[in-house]
Amino acid sequence: MEKILAAQNHNNTFLLSQYAEEKKLFSLSQQNRTLNQKFISKYPFIWKSKTSIFRLEKSKIIIGIVIFVGTFFVYKNPVFWSLPFLEQSGVRYSLLIFGMLAVFQLTIQSMLHQLDSISEKANEGLFLPFSDKEIIAQFTIIPVAVMLFLLCVIAIILKSSFIQFCLGAGILSGLTIVLFYLQLKHKNLLTKYYFLITIAILAVSLFMSYK
């Protein structure tokens, strides 16, 4: 209660959301609580990643989805084709690719920020009894699942083939893991290589929309 009151007085919504998740855990039945505690003790960063999803900058993801839906309607609906700058199919196709890129980029950017708290605490001297490989492997499970879900929805909308989805999923999963690794261990290099990663995500978007 002391911690909650202190967080309320300082308007610290980050801590309040953490306390809310802990309260949910402690309110579980004894059996479920034991199972959850065992899971958390073995895979703490999966749990951390799961709770971080609730603190995502959802506005970015929503903006990305809205952009994609808008560009898809323009690409498919002949009503928009009479506009001067949308007469050419190449322009409409480019807008569709931009919409797909916006979904992936804005979602990744929103999720990357969730690693900042871990890296900042580690730099301040917090010892984590896990290797970098374990941290990345556990923390990226939820983000990769989110990206694959978005890719699946886009593949269904665009009627992409199963092979296109599988190859796109493999590349996008690998890129997500690389981005999270750079964010955690080599943040200074992230800006240097982010352009190349963006090109790779663009290539996935082109591949998924190719007929």
Side-chain angles (χ1 to χ4, degrees):
M1 286 303 298
E2 230 175 279
K3 289 180 179 180
I4 291 172
L5 288 172
Q8 284 178 334
N9 291 336
H10 291 86
N11 198 26
N12 194 329
T13 54
F14 177 81
L15 282 178
L16 287 172
S17 62
Q18 277 192 329
Y19 297 151
E21 288 300 316
E22 291 171 7
K23 179 66 177 175
K24 288 179 185 177
L25 177 63
F26 291 132
S27 63
L28 295 172
S29 66
Q30 182 61 41
Q31 184 180 2
N32 288 338
R33 190 186 309 174
T34 303
L35 289 173
N36 274 274
Q37 286 173 343
K38 286 181 179 178
F39 180 83
I40 291 170
S41 63
K42 194 170 183 180
Y43 305 107
F45 292 103
I46 295 179
W47 185 80
K48 168 67 176 172
S49 180
K50 179 182 75 70
T51 56
S52 296
I53 289 295
F54 297 105
R55 295 193 293 271
L56 288 179
E57 296 175 75
K58 295 178 180 64
S59 58
K60 283 187 176 182
I61 301 176
I62 292 171
I63 289 170
I65 293 172
V66 169
I67 291 173
F68 169 71
V69 171
T71 56
F72 177 75
F73 275 119
V74 169
Y75 180 72
K76 284 290 186 181
N77 198 328
V79 172
F80 298 98
W81 301 356
S82 58
L83 296 174
F85 58 94
L86 294 175
E87 289 177 345
Q88 297 183 357
S89 60
V91 174
R92 299 193 297 270
Y93 182 68
S94 299
L95 284 175
L96 177 66
I97 298 303
F98 170 76
M100 294 175 65
L101 184 65
V103 172
F104 296 137
Q105 285 283 59
L106 292 174
T107 302
I108 285 175
Q109 289 174 15
S110 179
M111 291 189 294
L112 278 176
H113 293 160
Q114 302 307 314
L115 267 180
D116 287 341
S117 61
I118 293 178
S119 55
E120 286 171 6
K121 289 174 182 176
N123 291 333
E124 290 171 359
L126 174 67
F127 173 72
L128 299 174
F130 297 90
S131 66
D132 295 341
K133 185 179 178 181
E134 289 176 307
I135 295 173
I136 296 298
Q138 291 185 31
F139 204 94
T140 53
I141 287 176
I142 302 293
V144 166
V146 171
M147 295 301 292
L148 291 183
F149 172 76
L150 291 174
L151 185 70
C152 183
V153 172
I154 288 174
I156 292 171
I157 292 174
L158 297 178
K159 298 180 180 178
S160 304
S161 68
F162 181 71
I163 294 175
Q164 284 176 305
F165 172 74
C166 289
L167 288 175
I171 295 171
L172 202 59
S173 298
L175 290 173
T176 303
I177 293 170
V178 169
L179 278 168
F180 272 75
Y181 174 76
L182 291 174
Q183 176 77 2
L184 182 65
K185 301 304 298 180
H186 302 286
K187 198 171 180 179
N188 57 323
L189 295 177
L190 184 60
T191 52
K192 185 177 180 181
Y193 294 108
Y194 197 80
F195 176 75
L196 296 176
I197 294 172
T198 300
I199 296 298
I201 296 174
L202 177 61
V204 171
S205 302
L206 287 166
F207 179 70
M208 291 298 296
S209 61
Y210 179 76
K211 300 296 182 184

